[in-house]
């Protein structure tokens, strides 16, 4: 007579299942088990290499700089923010991610250190995915899932920059471990921990809330097992993580909510954008672009399209394998884990079929581990189904070979992407960290060489805050054009700092040597020198560094505020861009103070190659007309920059 435990009765959630039933236990001591360990260690090495190699080429733009600046303000200036950076829909996020960055910035303000920490967190997510597959289903499932996740180009790219979205995937792995330990393993403490983890995920990006049905299931199971107090404790801990944001909401009376989404919102859309983004992230199906880098340009013979086709097919097999376990397995733990995996992937797809805002692929980064696990489960299921059939080993071997080929192509693709960035940058990617550091170093040299005390970054560009963050310890005053980013728009000054900037100019200088000027105005303003970007690619920004001073503060300024204007003309003399810089208040200008203004203008992507003219004028902000100079250098209003096609 066979004894049936509570864990073996299909659908019985009143008692926890047996978490120790593991296919790996049957392999221990065998040669196959040792080879699985060798493969796992190799995958970990590949994971760390791809995420930490060439950190000087990571994306470092306004968002990354703003996050690090808020963290630095906490640890060096004592400014504790109650709200974080504003999301893409115009609503400030909670500041918990900035709190996480603060101890890292306390150790070092170098963006490489914080980026490396994010990379290591994502590497831990890959290891966690490997362990989940190994523990839940088999060593084969874990090794395949780890390799698929380790080499995924989107997983690698988003693991290599400072951004709250970029830690959602490892957080999701940790959340699933807690859910499994609580529901399948019966360890209620992990269930309590799941609630604050989920709250942090939603605070880091609201898209994490798409996993809320899983938390409802957790709460229902714990209550059914008599753990109502533990559910209340978990909810209370989750609420604690939101306290700073709740205080901010109370102080502002929720004004940011009444303003609505940026751009006025969208009418609700019904389409397949969400499912397409999920499948494109996991398998790469019809997804060739990684933050502006076209994969097809980096590899010959359309090799970049091969991984998308293969992994999408393997994902379909994995979903079928998960459904088979849910519907046919006699082991409740297998059914629960397969159901959890399927919901992990399908919930974000189904719940975004109707969406009132535009969707972006980085909203769904937390599904990457689930997709990798399903692919691993699918290959394991192929092996189980075909084990006793002719040609079964060949089928499984072919599937494993396909995974290795895909991972190899994707790893080469990642290396090629980084190599591409050493020769320039894609406009949507922005200047990598090394380029931003070089620009900052050259601007600081201009400030120090002129005896200046202020660097004024005058245009709302993709790397304005990046230069401001990099420059702030090394110049007494830094001004940065304000952005639509809400509560962190404070001054960039970092008092009581000193030392020389460590940024090294490794390549050709980005700016031309400063050309001396002698241009003066009746109210005491005088332009001293000008320097422009040497070479740019169509679509990139070209910059002008103007050094100026206030010789004598006239009691009657020519304008209510001092504004510089920059315009760019193509080789035929047609104006293609014109932009005004920051308005400088007369009350903030001291006689003899030297300022370096950095003004940038984005060139059109379709601009032809050639020599372009850069003009600068002083602008009357009321009449929008140039202010006449009392003494004008003939070369003042004309500088050149060369646009070259890649």
């Amino acid at each position: 007579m066979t004894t049936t435990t509570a864990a073996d009765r299909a659908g019985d959630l009143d008692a926890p299942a047996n978490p120790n039933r593991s296919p790996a236990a049957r392999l221990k001591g065998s040669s196959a088990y040792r080879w699985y360990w060798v493969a796992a260690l190799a995958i970990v090495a590949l994971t760390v290499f791809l995420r930490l190699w060439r950190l000087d080429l990571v994306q470092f733009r306004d968002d990354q700089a703003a996050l690090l600046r808020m963290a630095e303000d906490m640890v060096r200036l004592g400014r504790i923010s109650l709200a974080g950076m504003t999301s893409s829909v115009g609503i400030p996020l909670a500041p918990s991610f900035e709190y996480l960055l603060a101890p890292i910035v306390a150790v070092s303000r170098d963006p490489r250190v914080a980026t490396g920490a994010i990379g290591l967190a994502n590497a831990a997510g890959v290891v966690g995915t490997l362990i989940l597959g190994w523990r839940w289903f088999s060593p084969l499932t874990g090794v395949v899932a780890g390799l698929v996740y380790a080499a995924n180009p989107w997983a690698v790219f988003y693991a290599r920059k400072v951004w709250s979205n970029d830690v959602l995937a490892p957080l999701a792995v940790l959340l699933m471990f807690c859910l499994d330990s609580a529901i399948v393993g019966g360890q209620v403490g992990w269930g309590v921990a799941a609630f604050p983890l989920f709250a942090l995920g939603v605070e880091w990006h609201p898209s994490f809330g798409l996993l809320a049905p899983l938390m409802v299931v957790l709460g229902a199971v714990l209550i059914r097992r008599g753990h109502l107090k533990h559910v209340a404790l978990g909810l209370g801990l989750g609420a604690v993580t939101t306290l700073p944001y709740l205080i901010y909401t109370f102080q502002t009376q929720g004004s940011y909510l009444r303003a609505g989404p940026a751009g006025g919102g969208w009418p609700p859309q019904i389409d397949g954008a969400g499912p397409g983004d999920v499948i494109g992230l996991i398998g790469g199906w019809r997804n060739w672009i990684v933050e502006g880098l076209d994969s097809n340009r980096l590899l010959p013979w359309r090799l970049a399209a091969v991984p998308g086709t293969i992994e999408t097919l393997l994902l379909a097999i994995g979903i079928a394998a998960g459904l088979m376990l849910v519907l046919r397995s006699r082991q409740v733990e297998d059914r629960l884990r397969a159901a959890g995996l399927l919901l992990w992937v399908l919930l974000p797809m189904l719940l975004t079929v109707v969406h009132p805002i535009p969707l972006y692929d980085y909203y769904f980064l937390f599904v990457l581990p689930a997709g990798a696990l399903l692919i691993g489960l699918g290959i394991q299921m192929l092996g189980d189904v075909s084990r006793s059939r002719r040609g079964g080993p060949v089928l499984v071997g072919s599937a494993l070979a396909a995974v290795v080929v895909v991972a190899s192509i994707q790893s080469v693709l990642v290396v090629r992407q980084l190599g591409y960035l050493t020769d320039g940058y894609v406009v949507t990617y922005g200047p990598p960290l090394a380029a931003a550091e070089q620009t900052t170093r050259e601007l600081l040299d201009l400030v120090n060489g002129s005896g200046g005390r202020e660097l004024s970054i005058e245009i709302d560009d993709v790397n304005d805050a990046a230069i401001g963050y990099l420059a702030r310890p090394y110049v007494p005053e830094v001004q940065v054009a304000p952005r639509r980013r809400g509560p962190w728009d404070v001054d960039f000054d970092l008092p009581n700092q000193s030392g020389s900037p460590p940024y090294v100019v490794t390549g050709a200088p980005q700016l031309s040597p400063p050309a001396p000027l002698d241009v003066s105005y009746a109210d005491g303003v005088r332009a001293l020198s000008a320097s422009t970007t040497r070479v740019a690619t169509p679509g990139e920004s070209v910059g002008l560094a103007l050094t100026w001073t206030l010789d004598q503060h006239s009691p009657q300024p020519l304008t209510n505020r001092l504004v510089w204007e920059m315009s760019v003309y193509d080789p035929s003399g047609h104006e293609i861009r014109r932009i005004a810089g920051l308005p400088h208040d007369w009350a903030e200008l001291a006689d003899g103070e030297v300022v370096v203004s950095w003004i940038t203008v984005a060139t059109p992507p379709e601009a032809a190659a050639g020599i372009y003219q850069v003009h600068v004028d002083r602008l009357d902000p009321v009449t929008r007309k140039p202010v006449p100079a009392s003494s004008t250098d003939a070369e003042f209003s004309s500088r050149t920059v060369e646009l070259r096609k890649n």
Side-chain angles (χ1 to χ4, degrees):
M1 182 176 180
T2 302
T3 302
T4 303
T5 66
D8 295 322
R9 294 194 296 270
D12 189 354
L13 295 178
D14 291 333
N18 177 13
N20 298 315
R21 186 189 67 82
S22 171
R26 298 192 295 269
L27 291 174
K28 284 186 177 179
S30 67
S31 59
Y33 191 77
R34 288 192 291 271
W35 280 111
Y36 281 127
W37 268 102
V38 171
L41 292 175
I43 290 168
V44 172
L46 175 67
T47 300
V48 174
F49 169 74
L50 292 178
R51 284 153 180 79
L52 299 185
W53 184 56
R54 294 299 305 269
L55 291 179
D56 58 316
L57 296 178
V58 298
Q59 190 179 58
F60 190 67
R61 301 185 1 170
D62 52 351
D63 285 349
Q64 289 70 54
L67 289 165
L68 292 181
R69 183 166 66 85
M70 289 183 70
E72 185 172 51
D73 285 350
M74 292 183 204
V75 298
R76 291 190 170 88
L77 302 179
R79 296 173 180 162
I80 307 300
S81 178
L82 298 177
M85 193 174 65
T86 304
S87 70
S88 56
V89 298
I91 297 176
L93 298 175
S96 51
F97 185 68
E98 288 82 345
Y99 295 168
L100 178 69
L101 291 174
I104 301 173
V105 176
V107 174
S108 173
R109 71 183 312 275
D110 188 339
R112 292 170 182 79
V113 176
T115 305
I118 299 298
L120 287 175
N122 278 272
V126 175
V127 174
T129 300
L130 192 155
I131 292 173
L132 285 183
W134 189 301
R135 177 175 177 263
W136 286 1
F137 303 112
S138 70
L140 177 62
T141 302
V143 166
V144 170
L147 182 58
V148 168
Y149 187 13
N152 183 293
W154 293 271
V156 173
F157 168 75
Y158 285 109
R160 290 174 53 86
K161 68 174 179 176
V162 178
W163 211 24
S164 59
N165 300 59
D166 299 349
V167 290
L168 291 183
L171 185 68
V173 173
L174 185 56
L175 177 64
M176 293 305 158
F177 172 81
C178 292
L179 292 175
D180 179 71
S181 298
I183 296 176
V184 178
Q187 302 176 65
V188 68
W190 289 111
V192 173
F195 288 98
L197 286 176
F198 176 74
L200 285 174
V202 176
E203 291 168 23
W204 292 348
H205 198 274
S207 61
F208 203 77
L210 295 170
L211 298 179
L214 294 178
M215 301 304 299
V216 174
V217 171
L218 171 65
V221 169
L222 292 181
I223 292 173
R224 186 174 179 180
R225 292 176 181 172
H227 300 305
L228 177 60
K229 291 182 179 179
H230 293 85
V231 173
L233 176 61
L235 291 172
L237 292 174
V240 168
T241 68
T242 68
L243 281 179
Y245 196 59
L246 292 176
I247 295 173
Y248 171 76
T249 302
F250 177 78
Q251 289 179 343
T252 61
Q253 299 181 350
S255 57
Y256 60 89
L257 295 174
R258 292 193 296 272
W266 266 24
Q269 303 289 310
I270 302 177
D271 54 33
D277 285 338
V278 171
I279 296 173
L281 277 177
I282 295 173
W285 177 252
R286 300 183 66 83
N287 190 5
W288 323 118
I289 308 298
V290 183
E291 192 64 18
L293 299 173
D294 189 345
S295 303
N296 291 312
R297 297 180 57 184
L298 303 177
L299 294 177
W301 311 315
R302 297 281 294 178
L303 281 178
V306 173
T309 303
I310 294 176
E311 285 200 335
T312 302
L313 175 61
L314 292 176
L315 176 62
I317 294 173
I319 291 175
L323 289 172
M324 287 179 61
L325 278 182
V326 171
L327 298 175
R328 300 177 60 179
S329 176
R330 301 183 63 182
Q331 299 293 338
V332 70
E333 56 262 43
D334 284 348
R335 296 175 64 185
L336 289 173
R337 287 165 174 164
L341 266 183
L342 291 171
L343 288 173
W344 191 353
V345 170
L346 295 178
L347 281 172
M349 297 171 66
L350 297 176
L351 296 180
T352 56
V353 171
V354 180
H355 55 98
I357 61 173
L359 299 178
Y360 303 96
D361 56 2
Y362 55 78
Y363 286 3
F364 305 101
L365 293 175
F366 57 86
V367 305
L368 286 169
L373 284 166
L374 283 173
I375 290 174
L377 179 60
I379 291 180
Q380 177 63 53
M381 189 65 70
L382 283 179
D384 293 341
V385 171
S386 62
R387 182 179 296 118
S388 59
R389 300 182 182 180
R390 179 180 298 179
V394 175
L395 177 63
V396 177
S398 299
L400 288 174
V403 170
V404 173
V405 168
V406 165
S408 300
I409 293 175
Q410 291 178 331
S411 298
V412 171
L413 185 61
V414 170
V415 173
R416 289 279 294 155
Q417 287 171 345
L418 296 179
Y420 185 79
L421 292 172
T422 60
D423 300 324
Y425 65 87
V426 179
V427 175
T428 53
Y429 187 91
L433 175 59
E437 288 181 336
Q438 180 162 335
T439 301
T440 303
R441 177 57 188 261
E442 295 184 38
L443 290 173
L444 290 174
D445 287 345
L446 290 175
V447 174
N448 295 329
S450 62
R453 289 182 48 82
E454 180 179 334
L455 174 62
S456 179
I457 304 166
E458 308 220 351
I459 302 301
D460 176 4
D461 203 356
V462 295
N463 67 335
D464 56 348
I467 294 175
Y469 173 81
L470 294 171
R472 69 189 307 216
Y474 310 110
V475 63
E477 296 181 42
V478 179
Q479 282 196 72
V480 176
R483 297 182 62 84
R484 302 175 304 277
R485 294 296 188 188
W488 56 260
D489 267 330
V490 296
D491 65 87
F492 272 71
D493 297 347
L494 193 62
N496 303 319
Q497 300 296 308
S498 62
S500 300
Y503 318 129
V504 178
V505 178
T506 56
Q510 296 179 355
L511 302 180
S512 62
L517 299 174
D518 185 14
V519 181
S520 58
Y521 296 85
D523 51 8
V525 176
R526 184 161 61 94
L528 302 176
S529 68
S531 179
T532 56
T533 303
R534 289 173 177 264
V535 179
T537 300
E540 294 178 2
S541 294
V542 297
L544 167 74
L546 180 67
T547 305
W548 56 277
T549 187
L550 185 62
D551 281 343
Q552 182 179 3
H553 196 167
S554 169
Q556 294 295 328
L558 297 178
T559 56
N560 62 341
R561 289 186 174 186
L562 193 158
V563 178
W564 298 104
E565 183 181 60
M566 175 180 171
S567 53
V568 179
Y569 294 80
D570 65 18
S572 62
H574 294 98
E575 182 184 290
I576 61 171
R577 287 286 189 272
R578 177 181 292 270
I579 194 164
L582 279 175
H584 296 269
D585 290 331
W586 291 101
E588 297 177 357
L589 298 175
D591 291 351
E593 178 182 359
V594 177
V595 180
V596 174
S597 288
W598 175 242
I599 309 173
T600 53
V601 172
T603 59
E606 67 278 4
I611 303 299
Y612 285 65
Q613 296 290 323
V614 176
H615 289 203
V616 60
D617 294 293
R618 185 176 163 192
L619 181 71
D620 187 326
V622 176
T623 65
R624 310 301 297 178
K625 294 180 179 180
V627 177
S630 58
S631 173
T632 305
D633 189 315
E635 298 295 324
F636 174 55
S637 63
S638 180
R639 293 290 179 273
T640 61
V641 61
E642 181 181 1
L643 291 191
R644 295 178 184 172
K645 296 284 189 181
N646 280 337

